[in-house]
Amino acid sequence: MNAICHRSIHEIDASLWDSIVPENEPFHSHKFVSVNEDAEVENSKFWYILFYDQDQLVATTVLSAFVISLDLFIGDNGIIKLIKKINPDFFKTKILVCGLLVSLGQSNLVIISDNYTKDVLFELSSKMDEICIRERIKNQAIKEFKEKYLRKMDCACDNGFLKVSSIPYMSLEIRWKYFDEYLSDMRHTFKRQVRNSLRKIRKTVPAVKQITNEMLSGIFDSEIVLLSQHMCPPDLCCALYLKVMERATTKLETLNDLFCKFY
């Protein structure tokens, strides 16, 4: 096993990187990874590792170094708030993560076969140790794995990693063909909130007045995407996102306007 490390995703040919990325892993694509690097979210540093078995590419991964606040995992009770008030940086520490700073429930570690997992994780651990020593980083982690992948990652514990729970992650199976079907399945309280929000949007955003009811009832993967483009250009989308993040009690990162514009 040979592991080659790069400091920029732009040093790696996109077709080579994407050649082993599954279709259902869009957050490990060369394009998405490039957006994260170029946007410089949270002033992160990046490393990209390509793993070869002789001349065959068998795995790729992204490493991100950034500052994390450990109170993210221990709650925000009265004692925690008091400590943070006295010393705002008390819980902050630098960490090297196998994965992107943007937390979307993805692992950013692609291995083409389970047969390579043990060797890849051994080489990965060695590379992470080297970077941590050079960059003076005390903590490292490999994130985030859904239930069906956890057993495959057990051998990471042989390299000194501990298995812990991540921050909450939710997924929703899209079983509705039309937006009205989705809306009708909601409980009355939530349904009323959505309809009130749509009425407010039509009043405050002129472009929305041109959108027909047929578009609102369109299928999720085309008309609803088109609707969002009419309603929410990047600048507005970023402003609304930041408003939501101001009220968030659990957050790993806050994306910047460059990320919204790039993607």
Side-chain angles (χ1 to χ4, degrees), residues 131-167:
I131 293 170
C132 283
I133 292 171
R134 188 167 61 248
E135 300 288 327
R136 298 182 179 179
I137 301 173
K138 295 182 179 179
N139 308 287
Q140 53 182 276
I142 306 175
K143 73 170 185 85
E144 308 166 10
F145 299 92
K146 298 173 185 175
E147 196 69 33
K148 60 182 178 180
Y149 297 123
L150 284 179
R151 186 174 298 177
K152 298 178 183 179
M153 297 303 298
D154 281 345
C155 51
C157 298
D158 298 336
N159 299 314
F161 289 93
L162 301 174
K163 188 184 295 185
V164 298
S165 297
S166 183
I167 58 179

mmCIF file of all heavy atoms in Angstrom, residues 131-167:
data_model
loop_
_atom_site.group_PDB
_atom_site.id
_atom_site.type_symbol
_atom_site.label_atom_id
_atom_site.label_comp_id
_atom_site.label_asym_id
_atom_site.label_seq_id
_atom_site.Cartn_x
_atom_site.Cartn_y
_atom_site.Cartn_z
ATOM 1 N N ILE A 131 1.111 14.384 10.396
ATOM 2 C CA ILE A 131 0.588 15.750 10.256
ATOM 3 C C ILE A 131 0.384 16.388 11.625
ATOM 4 O O ILE A 131 0.720 17.565 11.839
ATOM 5 C CB ILE A 131 -0.727 15.739 9.451
ATOM 6 C CG1 ILE A 131 -0.452 15.323 8.010
ATOM 7 C CG2 ILE A 131 -1.402 17.116 9.489
ATOM 8 C CD1 ILE A 131 -1.694 15.059 7.198
ATOM 9 N N CYS A 132 -0.135 15.617 12.579
ATOM 10 C CA CYS A 132 -0.378 16.161 13.924
ATOM 11 C C CYS A 132 0.936 16.570 14.597
ATOM 12 O O CYS A 132 0.994 17.606 15.277
ATOM 13 C CB CYS A 132 -1.111 15.133 14.784
ATOM 14 S SG CYS A 132 -2.868 14.988 14.419
ATOM 15 N N ILE A 133 1.971 15.786 14.421
ATOM 16 C CA ILE A 133 3.273 16.134 14.998
ATOM 17 C C ILE A 133 3.808 17.405 14.348
ATOM 18 O O ILE A 133 4.271 18.327 15.029
ATOM 19 C CB ILE A 133 4.272 14.966 14.816
ATOM 20 C CG1 ILE A 133 3.847 13.779 15.673
ATOM 21 C CG2 ILE A 133 5.690 15.413 15.180
ATOM 22 C CD1 ILE A 133 4.639 12.511 15.412
ATOM 23 N N ARG A 134 3.720 17.475 13.031
ATOM 24 C CA ARG A 134 4.248 18.627 12.294
ATOM 25 C C ARG A 134 3.455 19.906 12.585
ATOM 26 O O ARG A 134 4.033 20.988 12.723
ATOM 27 C CB ARG A 134 4.224 18.328 10.793
ATOM 28 C CG ARG A 134 4.918 19.376 9.949
ATOM 29 C CD ARG A 134 5.146 18.885 8.539
ATOM 30 N NE ARG A 134 3.909 18.569 7.832
ATOM 31 C CZ ARG A 134 3.537 17.353 7.474
ATOM 32 N NH1 ARG A 134 4.314 16.304 7.758
ATOM 33 N NH2 ARG A 134 2.403 17.146 6.824
ATOM 34 N N GLU A 135 2.119 19.781 12.705
ATOM 35 C CA GLU A 135 1.253 20.950 12.895
ATOM 36 C C GLU A 135 0.933 21.225 14.368
ATOM 37 O O GLU A 135 0.175 22.135 14.674
ATOM 38 C CB GLU A 135 -0.053 20.755 12.126
ATOM 39 C CG GLU A 135 0.105 20.574 10.627
ATOM 40 C CD GLU A 135 0.508 21.854 9.928
ATOM 41 O OE1 GLU A 135 0.086 22.943 10.378
ATOM 42 O OE2 GLU A 135 1.239 21.774 8.916
ATOM 43 N N ARG A 136 1.476 20.390 15.253
ATOM 44 C CA ARG A 136 1.233 20.536 16.699
ATOM 45 C C ARG A 136 -0.263 20.450 17.017
ATOM 46 O O ARG A 136 -0.825 21.293 17.721
ATOM 47 C CB ARG A 136 1.826 21.844 17.225
ATOM 48 C CG ARG A 136 3.343 21.923 17.069
ATOM 49 C CD ARG A 136 3.902 23.202 17.653
ATOM 50 N NE ARG A 136 5.350 23.244 17.521
ATOM 51 C CZ ARG A 136 6.114 24.256 17.936
ATOM 52 N NH1 ARG A 136 5.532 25.312 18.511
ATOM 53 N NH2 ARG A 136 7.425 24.223 17.775
ATOM 54 N N ILE A 137 -0.895 19.416 16.516
ATOM 55 C CA ILE A 137 -2.310 19.155 16.760
ATOM 56 C C ILE A 137 -2.418 17.966 17.702
ATOM 57 O O ILE A 137 -1.817 16.908 17.469
ATOM 58 C CB ILE A 137 -3.059 18.851 15.439
ATOM 59 C CG1 ILE A 137 -2.930 20.040 14.483
ATOM 60 C CG2 ILE A 137 -4.526 18.539 15.702
ATOM 61 C CD1 ILE A 137 -3.491 19.764 13.099
ATOM 62 N N LYS A 138 -3.174 18.113 18.784
ATOM 63 C CA LYS A 138 -3.237 17.069 19.810
ATOM 64 C C LYS A 138 -4.362 16.060 19.576
ATOM 65 O O LYS A 138 -4.322 14.954 20.127
ATOM 66 C CB LYS A 138 -3.417 17.709 21.191
ATOM 67 C CG LYS A 138 -2.236 18.552 21.641
ATOM 68 C CD LYS A 138 -2.480 19.117 23.034
ATOM 69 C CE LYS A 138 -1.282 19.946 23.508
ATOM 70 N NZ LYS A 138 -1.522 20.514 24.872
ATOM 71 N N ASN A 139 -5.376 16.424 18.813
ATOM 72 C CA ASN A 139 -6.552 15.571 18.676
ATOM 73 C C ASN A 139 -6.789 15.202 17.218
ATOM 74 O O ASN A 139 -6.543 16.001 16.317
ATOM 75 C CB ASN A 139 -7.794 16.289 19.224
ATOM 76 C CG ASN A 139 -7.583 16.824 20.621
ATOM 77 O OD1 ASN A 139 -7.544 16.077 21.579
ATOM 78 N ND2 ASN A 139 -7.432 18.146 20.738
ATOM 79 N N GLN A 140 -7.290 13.989 16.994
ATOM 80 C CA GLN A 140 -7.637 13.571 15.644
ATOM 81 C C GLN A 140 -8.862 12.652 15.677
ATOM 82 O O GLN A 140 -9.135 11.988 16.684
ATOM 83 C CB GLN A 140 -6.465 12.896 14.956
ATOM 84 C CG GLN A 140 -5.829 11.751 15.709
ATOM 85 C CD GLN A 140 -4.645 11.164 14.969
ATOM 86 O OE1 GLN A 140 -4.798 10.320 14.095
ATOM 87 N NE2 GLN A 140 -3.435 11.609 15.332
ATOM 88 N N ALA A 141 -9.592 12.648 14.574
ATOM 89 C CA ALA A 141 -10.820 11.850 14.504
ATOM 90 C C ALA A 141 -11.096 11.458 13.063
ATOM 91 O O ALA A 141 -10.639 12.119 12.121
ATOM 92 C CB ALA A 141 -12.004 12.645 15.063
ATOM 93 N N ILE A 142 -11.830 10.365 12.895
ATOM 94 C CA ILE A 142 -12.328 9.945 11.584
ATOM 95 C C ILE A 142 -13.851 10.010 11.658
ATOM 96 O O ILE A 142 -14.464 9.361 12.504
ATOM 97 C CB ILE A 142 -11.893 8.505 11.249
ATOM 98 C CG1 ILE A 142 -10.383 8.352 11.378
ATOM 99 C CG2 ILE A 142 -12.340 8.124 9.842
ATOM 100 C CD1 ILE A 142 -9.892 6.918 11.169
ATOM 101 N N LYS A 143 -14.477 10.827 10.830
ATOM 102 C CA LYS A 143 -15.927 10.998 10.887
ATOM 103 C C LYS A 143 -16.526 10.875 9.500
ATOM 104 O O LYS A 143 -15.803 10.971 8.510
ATOM 105 C CB LYS A 143 -16.265 12.354 11.504
ATOM 106 C CG LYS A 143 -15.983 13.547 10.564
ATOM 107 C CD LYS A 143 -16.567 14.815 11.123
ATOM 108 C CE LYS A 143 -16.400 15.971 10.143
ATOM 109 N NZ LYS A 143 -17.449 16.060 9.142
ATOM 110 N N GLU A 144 -17.786 10.737 9.346
ATOM 111 C CA GLU A 144 -18.849 10.276 10.207
ATOM 112 C C GLU A 144 -19.423 9.060 9.529
ATOM 113 O O GLU A 144 -19.610 9.065 8.323
ATOM 114 C CB GLU A 144 -19.947 11.332 10.382
ATOM 115 C CG GLU A 144 -19.441 12.698 10.799
ATOM 116 C CD GLU A 144 -20.507 13.762 10.635
ATOM 117 O OE1 GLU A 144 -21.686 13.459 10.387
ATOM 118 O OE2 GLU A 144 -20.144 14.938 10.734
ATOM 119 N N PHE A 145 -19.736 8.018 10.245
ATOM 120 C CA PHE A 145 -20.143 6.767 9.624
ATOM 121 C C PHE A 145 -21.551 6.370 10.053
ATOM 122 O O PHE A 145 -21.857 6.342 11.244
ATOM 123 C CB PHE A 145 -19.155 5.656 9.968
ATOM 124 C CG PHE A 145 -17.766 5.932 9.479
ATOM 125 C CD1 PHE A 145 -16.839 6.564 10.290
ATOM 126 C CD2 PHE A 145 -17.399 5.602 8.187
ATOM 127 C CE1 PHE A 145 -15.563 6.849 9.833
ATOM 128 C CE2 PHE A 145 -16.111 5.878 7.716
ATOM 129 C CZ PHE A 145 -15.202 6.501 8.542
ATOM 130 N N LYS A 146 -22.383 6.092 9.081
ATOM 131 C CA LYS A 146 -23.728 5.619 9.372
ATOM 132 C C LYS A 146 -23.660 4.181 9.866
ATOM 133 O O LYS A 146 -22.659 3.492 9.729
ATOM 134 C CB LYS A 146 -24.602 5.743 8.125
ATOM 135 C CG LYS A 146 -24.754 7.190 7.675
ATOM 136 C CD LYS A 146 -25.473 7.307 6.351
ATOM 137 C CE LYS A 146 -25.491 8.753 5.871
ATOM 138 N NZ LYS A 146 -26.069 8.895 4.529
ATOM 139 N N GLU A 147 -24.762 3.732 10.437
ATOM 140 C CA GLU A 147 -24.805 2.442 11.123
ATOM 141 C C GLU A 147 -24.253 1.285 10.290
ATOM 142 O O GLU A 147 -23.477 0.460 10.778
ATOM 143 C CB GLU A 147 -26.255 2.134 11.517
ATOM 144 C CG GLU A 147 -26.393 1.037 12.563
ATOM 145 C CD GLU A 147 -25.879 1.455 13.929
ATOM 146 O OE1 GLU A 147 -25.978 2.641 14.295
ATOM 147 O OE2 GLU A 147 -25.353 0.574 14.627
ATOM 148 N N LYS A 148 -24.605 1.227 9.016
ATOM 149 C CA LYS A 148 -24.213 0.081 8.187
ATOM 150 C C LYS A 148 -22.709 0.035 7.907
ATOM 151 O O LYS A 148 -22.183 -0.996 7.486
ATOM 152 C CB LYS A 148 -24.990 0.088 6.874
ATOM 153 C CG LYS A 148 -24.771 1.325 6.019
ATOM 154 C CD LYS A 148 -25.624 1.242 4.758
ATOM 155 C CE LYS A 148 -25.460 2.488 3.903
ATOM 156 N NZ LYS A 148 -26.290 2.416 2.669
ATOM 157 N N TYR A 149 -21.997 1.163 8.137
ATOM 158 C CA TYR A 149 -20.558 1.194 7.877
ATOM 159 C C TYR A 149 -19.720 1.022 9.142
ATOM 160 O O TYR A 149 -18.504 0.855 9.058
ATOM 161 C CB TYR A 149 -20.175 2.515 7.221
ATOM 162 C CG TYR A 149 -20.802 2.747 5.872
ATOM 163 C CD1 TYR A 149 -21.572 3.877 5.628
ATOM 164 C CD2 TYR A 149 -20.635 1.834 4.831
ATOM 165 C CE1 TYR A 149 -22.170 4.098 4.395
ATOM 166 C CE2 TYR A 149 -21.226 2.038 3.589
ATOM 167 C CZ TYR A 149 -21.988 3.174 3.379
ATOM 168 O OH TYR A 149 -22.565 3.377 2.163
ATOM 169 N N LEU A 150 -20.360 1.038 10.303
ATOM 170 C CA LEU A 150 -19.607 1.054 11.551
ATOM 171 C C LEU A 150 -18.747 -0.191 11.729
ATOM 172 O O LEU A 150 -17.594 -0.108 12.167
ATOM 173 C CB LEU A 150 -20.557 1.211 12.740
ATOM 174 C CG LEU A 150 -21.115 2.621 12.954
ATOM 175 C CD1 LEU A 150 -22.066 2.634 14.149
ATOM 176 C CD2 LEU A 150 -19.998 3.626 13.187
ATOM 177 N N ARG A 151 -19.306 -1.372 11.413
ATOM 178 C CA ARG A 151 -18.559 -2.605 11.631
ATOM 179 C C ARG A 151 -17.288 -2.637 10.782
ATOM 180 O O ARG A 151 -16.248 -3.145 11.210
ATOM 181 C CB ARG A 151 -19.437 -3.809 11.312
ATOM 182 C CG ARG A 151 -18.786 -5.145 11.657
ATOM 183 C CD ARG A 151 -19.757 -6.292 11.469
ATOM 184 N NE ARG A 151 -20.896 -6.174 12.354
ATOM 185 C CZ ARG A 151 -21.928 -7.026 12.361
ATOM 186 N NH1 ARG A 151 -21.948 -8.030 11.499
ATOM 187 N NH2 ARG A 151 -22.924 -6.860 13.202
ATOM 188 N N LYS A 152 -17.365 -2.056 9.578
ATOM 189 C CA LYS A 152 -16.192 -2.031 8.705
ATOM 190 C C LYS A 152 -15.064 -1.189 9.310
ATOM 191 O O LYS A 152 -13.895 -1.392 9.006
ATOM 192 C CB LYS A 152 -16.566 -1.463 7.337
ATOM 193 C CG LYS A 152 -17.602 -2.270 6.576
ATOM 194 C CD LYS A 152 -17.956 -1.603 5.260
ATOM 195 C CE LYS A 152 -19.044 -2.358 4.531
ATOM 196 N NZ LYS A 152 -19.415 -1.700 3.245
ATOM 197 N N MET A 153 -15.466 -0.237 10.161
ATOM 198 C CA MET A 153 -14.471 0.680 10.710
ATOM 199 C C MET A 153 -13.923 0.225 12.065
ATOM 200 O O MET A 153 -13.130 0.919 12.677
ATOM 201 C CB MET A 153 -15.087 2.080 10.860
ATOM 202 C CG MET A 153 -15.514 2.716 9.555
ATOM 203 S SD MET A 153 -14.153 2.827 8.373
ATOM 204 C CE MET A 153 -13.045 3.905 9.279
ATOM 205 N N ASP A 154 -14.328 -0.962 12.531
ATOM 206 C CA ASP A 154 -13.862 -1.432 13.837
ATOM 207 C C ASP A 154 -12.345 -1.538 13.917
ATOM 208 O O ASP A 154 -11.752 -1.325 14.975
ATOM 209 C CB ASP A 154 -14.488 -2.797 14.162
ATOM 210 C CG ASP A 154 -15.926 -2.668 14.648
ATOM 211 O OD1 ASP A 154 -16.328 -1.544 14.990
ATOM 212 O OD2 ASP A 154 -16.636 -3.691 14.681
ATOM 213 N N CYS A 155 -11.703 -1.853 12.781
ATOM 214 C CA CYS A 155 -10.244 -2.004 12.817
ATOM 215 C C CYS A 155 -9.535 -0.669 13.041
ATOM 216 O O CYS A 155 -8.328 -0.642 13.303
ATOM 217 C CB CYS A 155 -9.726 -2.688 11.567
ATOM 218 S SG CYS A 155 -10.294 -1.982 10.017
ATOM 219 N N ALA A 156 -10.255 0.452 12.937
ATOM 220 C CA ALA A 156 -9.649 1.754 13.268
ATOM 221 C C ALA A 156 -9.266 1.795 14.747
ATOM 222 O O ALA A 156 -8.317 2.490 15.136
ATOM 223 C CB ALA A 156 -10.616 2.894 12.935
ATOM 224 N N CYS A 157 -10.004 1.035 15.571
ATOM 225 C CA CYS A 157 -9.696 0.996 17.004
ATOM 226 C C CYS A 157 -8.335 0.355 17.255
ATOM 227 O O CYS A 157 -7.689 0.623 18.269
ATOM 228 C CB CYS A 157 -10.782 0.233 17.762
ATOM 229 S SG CYS A 157 -12.421 1.002 17.644
ATOM 230 N N ASP A 158 -7.884 -0.501 16.307
ATOM 231 C CA ASP A 158 -6.552 -1.108 16.443
ATOM 232 C C ASP A 158 -5.447 -0.065 16.304
ATOM 233 O O ASP A 158 -4.305 -0.300 16.724
ATOM 234 C CB ASP A 158 -6.346 -2.188 15.373
ATOM 235 C CG ASP A 158 -7.341 -3.331 15.508
ATOM 236 O OD1 ASP A 158 -7.852 -3.529 16.621
ATOM 237 O OD2 ASP A 158 -7.613 -4.002 14.499
ATOM 238 N N ASN A 159 -5.790 1.093 15.716
ATOM 239 C CA ASN A 159 -4.803 2.164 15.514
ATOM 240 C C ASN A 159 -4.945 3.276 16.545
ATOM 241 O O ASN A 159 -4.410 4.369 16.370
ATOM 242 C CB ASN A 159 -4.956 2.750 14.110
ATOM 243 C CG ASN A 159 -4.721 1.705 13.028
ATOM 244 O OD1 ASN A 159 -3.765 0.947 13.100
ATOM 245 N ND2 ASN A 159 -5.596 1.663 12.042
ATOM 246 N N GLY A 160 -5.690 2.996 17.627
ATOM 247 C CA GLY A 160 -5.780 3.952 18.729
ATOM 248 C C GLY A 160 -7.009 4.834 18.733
ATOM 249 O O GLY A 160 -7.168 5.676 19.628
ATOM 250 N N PHE A 161 -7.918 4.666 17.762
ATOM 251 C CA PHE A 161 -9.135 5.468 17.736
ATOM 252 C C PHE A 161 -10.204 4.855 18.649
ATOM 253 O O PHE A 161 -10.237 3.638 18.855
ATOM 254 C CB PHE A 161 -9.689 5.568 16.310
ATOM 255 C CG PHE A 161 -8.860 6.428 15.399
ATOM 256 C CD1 PHE A 161 -7.873 5.869 14.602
ATOM 257 C CD2 PHE A 161 -9.057 7.806 15.341
ATOM 258 C CE1 PHE A 161 -7.096 6.650 13.764
ATOM 259 C CE2 PHE A 161 -8.290 8.600 14.507
ATOM 260 C CZ PHE A 161 -7.312 8.028 13.718
ATOM 261 N N LEU A 162 -11.064 5.706 19.188
ATOM 262 C CA LEU A 162 -12.173 5.261 20.026
ATOM 263 C C LEU A 162 -13.485 5.553 19.307
ATOM 264 O O LEU A 162 -13.635 6.596 18.672
ATOM 265 C CB LEU A 162 -12.161 5.993 21.375
ATOM 266 C CG LEU A 162 -10.896 5.836 22.236
ATOM 267 C CD1 LEU A 162 -10.990 6.734 23.463
ATOM 268 C CD2 LEU A 162 -10.694 4.387 22.654
ATOM 269 N N LYS A 163 -14.438 4.642 19.402
ATOM 270 C CA LYS A 163 -15.731 4.829 18.759
ATOM 271 C C LYS A 163 -16.652 5.646 19.680
ATOM 272 O O LYS A 163 -16.916 5.250 20.815
ATOM 273 C CB LYS A 163 -16.371 3.475 18.461
ATOM 274 C CG LYS A 163 -17.639 3.557 17.625
ATOM 275 C CD LYS A 163 -18.280 2.190 17.440
ATOM 276 C CE LYS A 163 -17.402 1.266 16.646
ATOM 277 N NZ LYS A 163 -18.093 -0.036 16.378
ATOM 278 N N VAL A 164 -17.096 6.808 19.206
ATOM 279 C CA VAL A 164 -17.982 7.664 19.992
ATOM 280 C C VAL A 164 -19.137 8.135 19.101
ATOM 281 O O VAL A 164 -19.048 8.083 17.871
ATOM 282 C CB VAL A 164 -17.242 8.910 20.565
ATOM 283 C CG1 VAL A 164 -16.133 8.480 21.511
ATOM 284 C CG2 VAL A 164 -16.678 9.766 19.439
ATOM 285 N N SER A 165 -20.197 8.595 19.740
ATOM 286 C CA SER A 165 -21.351 9.098 18.991
ATOM 287 C C SER A 165 -21.058 10.481 18.440
ATOM 288 O O SER A 165 -20.403 11.301 19.091
ATOM 289 C CB SER A 165 -22.587 9.151 19.893
ATOM 290 O OG SER A 165 -22.945 7.853 20.321
ATOM 291 N N SER A 166 -21.556 10.733 17.243
ATOM 292 C CA SER A 166 -21.398 12.051 16.634
ATOM 293 C C SER A 166 -22.584 12.927 17.023
ATOM 294 O O SER A 166 -23.483 12.505 17.762
ATOM 295 C CB SER A 166 -21.303 11.908 15.115
ATOM 296 O OG SER A 166 -21.081 13.166 14.511
ATOM 297 N N ILE A 167 -22.608 14.171 16.493
ATOM 298 C CA ILE A 167 -23.749 15.043 16.724
ATOM 299 C C ILE A 167 -24.957 14.472 15.988
ATOM 300 O O ILE A 167 -24.815 13.678 15.065
ATOM 301 C CB ILE A 167 -23.455 16.491 16.273
ATOM 302 C CG1 ILE A 167 -23.068 16.531 14.788
ATOM 303 C CG2 ILE A 167 -22.351 17.100 17.107
ATOM 304 C CD1 ILE A 167 -22.792 17.928 14.279
#
